[in-house]
Amino acid sequence: MKKILFMLCCALLPLAASAEKVQLSTPNNTLVLDVWKGGEPKFVYYGAKLSADDFASLPAPTNANWSHLDIYPAYGATHTMSETAFAMRHADGNMSTQLLVEEYGITSVDEQAPNGKPRKGSLLTIKMKDPLYPTYVNLYYFAYSDVDMIECWTDITNGEKKTVALTQFYSSCMPIRRGNVWINHFHGSWAAEAQMVEEELNNGLLRIKNKDGLRNATTDRQEVMFSLDGKPQENTGSVIGAALMYSGNYDVIVDTDDTEYHYYFAGINPDNSEYYLKRGETFTTPRVAYTFSKEGLSGASRNFHRWARRYQVRNADRERMILLNSWEGVYFDINQKGMDQMMADIKSMGGELFVMDDGWFGDKYPRNKDTSSLGDWVVDTRKLPEGIEGLLRDAKKNGVKFGIWIEPEMTNTTSELYEKHPEWIIKAPQREPVKGRGGTQLVLDLSNPEVQEFVFGVVDNLLTKHPEIAYIKWDANAPVMNHGSQYLKEQSHLYIKYHEGLINVCKRIREKYPDVVIQDCASGGGRANYGLLPYFDEFWVSDNTDALQRIYMQWGTSFFFPAITIASHISAVPNHAVFRTTSMKFRCDVAMSGRLGMEIQPKNM
Ligand code: DGJ
């Protein structure tokens, strides 16, 4: 994300001598906090936009000890028995922290959103410090001026002379008043992603988390909706939607204790990720996006879709091309004649783009199945004697655009890349690597800048040599299977640094290639998240293309993601994943509810 371009009205508000109600509004939502110098900031209100009279009639803030409504509770000094958002070990071993306000203020912001579009809004900054230690935490709330979304995140700076350890670093916390509150969340697995779960919140702790390392949306999803007026309704009732925007391991918890609130916390999963901050270093957490709607689940969804299309999805203002992807049509059986035929066929059906999936590469080790070649991104000239040039020529002849599949974060034990760079893979120190897909797949360690350079180069080489390539399908089919970086000194930084590396690469690609369409795919819908979407145009929803099961997956996905991001393909019957036969009309209708495409061998239709 580009830096803030300029700030208007930069002056921080004068410090209030006593507690102040601070409000931040979007067109239809208001957030109110109580803030005062020397105190812990407290939650007051989040919901429908308040009129001036409503705001004035909110109870006056007091410094009373209602510590349960602290908006960013830190562990150890005043909070030990309840859940906290932040915990650390100071350099002297002290495990307690207290975060008291030093100053706060609201500024107007006019900057570039992560998808490259300009955005405007108001930024509330609350600067906090521990009274005993030079530990600084800034809490931010950014309210958009034109969409009902408030994003919240923090940054943490170590001012101590020695390194400190962060052991918990959630992005945000939100108390939600009790009283027949329900939650919608989305659980899944490979080929059955985003299955909606709807349940009443009860006493106890609900934890939704991911520890895959790479694909954080295959099983549980990090986005949740809270219905405040009883069982969720499609078009009525008050709903809060919350989406953590992260590409890596995450943690979302909702704690219901003996008080009058449910407490929502979301952020990077701290398990096995203790983070060491050196003197003067700053750690920034990912954002959580909040919306509120009085129009039920659909209202909250519409707010997310509007925000996403404007600020979080690449090129969402552009019409998408109808495409044919080769995977379910020919799998690894790639050859020049076959590709040419598929291009002609998709053109004859009114399509605009042909995407060659897995199986096109490998020199010393040809990619004929999933056991070899990842990392060797050179054309297999036994299959494609005229190379990508020949394919681009055929695409032009057939009047369609051309796209290509890659899986740049991976390698196989059988590959020239692994022979050359065994030190680039993720593996536990002194242990044999655990291998994934095909019994040979390994993950490259993106915390290593050399690996970042290589992964950037995979895309850069393709697009520099072949600027006519219009579409890239970026796949990722393995998790972190044993813990270890051959590059990092601090092993517990692996998960966090991997994702910093991934985002660095994505940013570089988008700076150089803002217009190429890029699909985010990870064994199906494993990377449907707002951490990555700003750098991608769409994501693959699932490897299961059965139209009936797709209705449930696409419906679950649509709670937070707009249709333009949901790649949906007409496929053959009986379906390759579940062997069901459905009508062509039904398959077309389901595929047309997302970004329409096909994944079929047209000549067999
Ligand atoms: C997993 C993807 O989800 C599929 O669509 C396909 O691209 C395969 N990988 C190729 O290996």
Side-chain angles (χ1 to χ4, degrees), residues 190 325 327-328 331-332 357-359 367 370 374 405-407 437 473 475-477 519 521-525 540 542-543 599:
W190 177 78
N325 174 295
W327 181 242
E328 286 193 23
Y331 293 103
F332 290 102
D357 210 282
D358 200 351
R367 176 82 168 170
D370 63 6
L374 294 172
W405 177 97
I406 51 173
E407 195 176 354
R437 188 183 184 197
K473 175 173 173 179
D475 208 343
N477 292 304
Q519 181 186 83
C521 170
S523 315
W540 186 223
S542 177
D543 281 345
E599 187 140 343

Side-chain angles (χ1 to χ4, degrees), residues 127-146:
K127 296 188 169 183
M128 301 180 289
K129 181 186 170 296
D130 190 298
L132 293 184
Y133 291 90
T135 298
Y136 301 90
V137 176
N138 291 343
L139 177 62
Y140 301 100
Y141 292 88
F142 174 74
Y144 284 80
S145 58
D146 62 337

Side-chain angles (χ1 to χ4, degrees), residues 4-58:
I4 291 173
L5 293 179
F6 60 91
M7 308 260 269
L8 301 168
C9 323
C10 276
L12 290 180
L13 292 178
L15 284 174
S18 56
E20 187 188 4
K21 281 186 291 183
V22 177
Q23 67 169 320
L24 201 62
S25 290
T26 64
N28 300 293
N29 295 171
T30 298
L31 171 75
V32 182
L33 304 179
D34 276 355
V35 189
W36 63 91
K37 188 177 161 106
E40 290 163 294
K42 306 214 182 284
F43 171 81
V44 177
Y45 172 86
Y46 178 54
K49 188 161 190 167
L50 295 179
S51 66
D53 287 347
D54 290 340
F55 179 67
S57 64
L58 284 175

Side-chain angles (χ1 to χ4, degrees), residues 445-481:
D445 181 1
L446 263 174
S447 72
N448 181 341
E450 276 183 38
V451 174
Q452 290 174 31
E453 200 56 43
F454 170 79
V455 172
F456 172 75
V458 174
V459 175
D460 193 36
N461 292 339
L462 273 174
L463 294 180
T464 331
K465 274 197 213 136
H466 312 290
E468 303 93 328
I469 291 178
Y471 179 106
I472 285 177
K473 175 173 173 179
W474 179 310
D475 208 343
N477 292 304
V480 168
M481 291 161 284

